[in-house]
Amino acid sequence: MNVIEINNLTKMYGKSRGITDISFNVEEGEIFGFIGPNGAGKSTTIRTLLSLIYPTSGSAKIFGKDSVKDAPEIKKQIGYLPSEVFYYDNMKVMDLLKYSASFYKKDCSKRIKYLAEILDLDLTKKIDDLSLGNKKKVGIVQGLLHEPKLIILDEPTSGLDPLMQQKFFHLLEEENKKGATILFSSHILSEVQRLCNRVAIIKEGKLVTVEKISTLQENNYKKIKINIQKEIPKDYFQLEGVTKLEVKNNMISFLYRGNINTILRLITELEIVNLWIEEPDLEEIFMHYYEKEA
């Protein structure tokens, strides 16, 4: 079953670009990554999905219901952390969280204390006195305090130190094991690589691809580096499947996608000092998608 269904979602700001024809589904129980550089349209997609802003065209469903028409009902089951959080400065953290909890008509006080303990958040402080990282923690607790079925996170780790990021990831994995579906938006590939099963890549408001993380990393790409004795013609490795080719003196490096035997035949013709064949990291694959689109 799909928890999120996005169909040809388009949002224009006058004549300026927002997002164009975005379509993807998020399955129940999945941790789904939504990735692209800052300004690619991730937040616009999420805000439109949550009907915080209305689409120019296209539609979205959450739990099989229309995200605009059924918004009040849907939002009871969703935990949302925006990329930037703003609060009433004079409120104490606990008062703010109790106020948030009051919308869900259930006692969340145990849950608030549990989350605050994990994230090392002082509930007695005023919002005004908190650092950026601690304000982010308030947002995380606020998004999770009612044990939502769907958690939507927009750049959730900005402001958190590395140790706190690890605790936060553990917390998300725990929620996922309990059955929560998670949409995780980020421009940091290692986060997505660690948490997600599938990923949608967005660029300049358009969807580039939706892939399983394992497919992105699979054997269809190899990172090859060769140290040779003699220089070779510049076009020696210019064949289909070779990208990011760099030749510097006696060092050659490139990404290769295709029949490994074809490339090995070319390599064995050379006088090799050393050879490295590795799996590329997601970062390199991601850049390949971006360049290919360009």
Side-chain angles (χ1 to χ4, degrees):
M1 183 189 134
N2 291 324
V3 170
I4 295 173
E5 291 178 23
I6 298 177
N7 296 308
N8 304 111
L9 207 57
T10 298
K11 173 67 183 173
M12 299 303 286
Y13 296 102
K15 287 183 181 171
S16 304
R17 173 188 67 74
I19 51 168
T20 312
D21 267 347
I22 301 287
S23 299
F24 64 83
N25 299 335
V26 179
E27 292 164 19
E28 188 173 12
E30 187 172 28
I31 304 184
F32 187 93
F34 189 36
I35 194 147
N38 292 325
K42 300 187 299 295
S43 295
T44 300
T45 306
I46 287 171
R47 288 186 194 129
T48 313
L49 168 67
L50 289 169
S51 75
L52 298 171
I53 53 179
Y54 293 126
T56 307
S57 62
S59 65
K61 284 183 177 177
I62 299 177
F63 309 123
K65 294 171 182 166
D66 186 279
S67 71
V68 176
K69 284 182 203 152
D70 303 310
E73 195 184 334
I74 290 167
K75 281 173 184 159
K76 291 173 189 165
Q77 314 263 23
I78 295 178
Y80 168 52
L81 176 66
S83 52
E84 291 176 31
V85 287
F86 301 100
Y87 296 118
Y88 298 118
D89 287 347
N90 281 327
M91 280 181 106
K92 283 190 176 159
V93 173
M94 190 60 177
D95 296 336
L96 174 86
L97 293 171
K98 276 184 177 166
Y99 176 61
S100 290
S102 70
F103 291 99
Y104 301 104
K105 299 190 171 41
K106 60 178 178 180
D107 183 11
C108 303
S109 47
K110 262 190 192 163
R111 173 87 169 157
I112 290 169
K113 284 186 177 126
Y114 166 74
L115 292 168
E117 209 167 290
I118 286 176
L119 296 169
D120 197 16
L121 175 65
D122 187 343
L123 295 170
T124 62
K125 281 195 166 177
K126 273 190 174 181
I127 302 280
D128 200 20
D129 298 335
L130 297 179
S131 66
L132 176 70
N134 280 321
K135 281 183 182 165
K136 199 78 180 197
K137 290 181 200 174
V138 175
I140 292 167
V141 177
Q142 194 179 17
L144 300 180
L145 56 79
H146 55 301
E147 298 186 79
K149 283 186 188 169
L150 171 62
I151 300 166
I152 295 179
L153 306 160
D154 192 359
E155 301 282 354
T157 59
S158 60
L160 297 182
D161 65 56
L163 183 65
M164 200 46 67
Q165 285 181 22
Q166 294 311 313
K167 286 185 175 180
F168 173 57
F169 291 148
H170 284 308
L171 185 58
L172 290 182
E173 283 161 347
E174 211 174 87
E175 292 305 303
N176 182 241
K177 276 184 197 141
K178 288 193 318 199
T181 304
I182 300 171
L183 174 63
F184 187 107
S185 155
S186 178
H187 65 278
I188 302 165
L189 282 152
S190 55
E191 296 183 344
V192 169
Q193 201 165 349
R194 179 190 155 164
L195 282 173
C196 302
N197 327 341
R198 289 193 305 142
V199 61
I201 298 177
I202 187 172
K203 173 193 179 185
E204 291 171 6
K206 290 182 179 168
L207 211 60
V208 176
T209 187
V210 179
E211 290 277 16
K212 283 184 173 174
I213 292 273
S214 56
T215 307
L216 284 180
Q217 292 169 301
E218 240 165 37
N219 305 332
N220 45 8
Y221 285 99
K222 290 280 180 254
K223 183 180 178 181
I224 298 175
K225 205 160 109 185
I226 314 161
N227 187 356
I228 50 172
Q229 281 184 350
K230 293 177 189 167
E231 283 192 27
I232 55 165
K234 284 216 160 93
D235 59 356
Y236 189 83
F237 281 109
Q238 282 183 343
L239 74 153
E240 198 183 335
V242 170
T243 50
K244 297 184 81 65
L245 177 65
E246 282 182 28
V247 181
K248 282 184 188 165
N249 303 326
N250 292 9
M251 286 300 288
I252 304 156
S253 67
F254 52 88
L255 283 184
Y256 179 67
R257 181 183 194 178
N259 187 329
I260 197 76
N261 295 298
T262 310
I263 205 80
L264 283 175
R265 280 187 207 108
L266 276 180
I267 292 170
T268 51
E269 294 290 312
L270 303 171
E271 288 184 49
I272 298 166
V273 178
N274 213 336
L275 171 68
W276 298 263
I277 300 179
E278 301 167 344
E279 297 294 320
D281 61 25
L282 206 53
E283 188 102 28
E284 287 165 297
I285 294 167
F286 181 62
M287 288 319 294
H288 167 71
Y289 269 102
Y290 260 55
E291 282 159 12
K292 188 172 73 177
E293 282 298 302

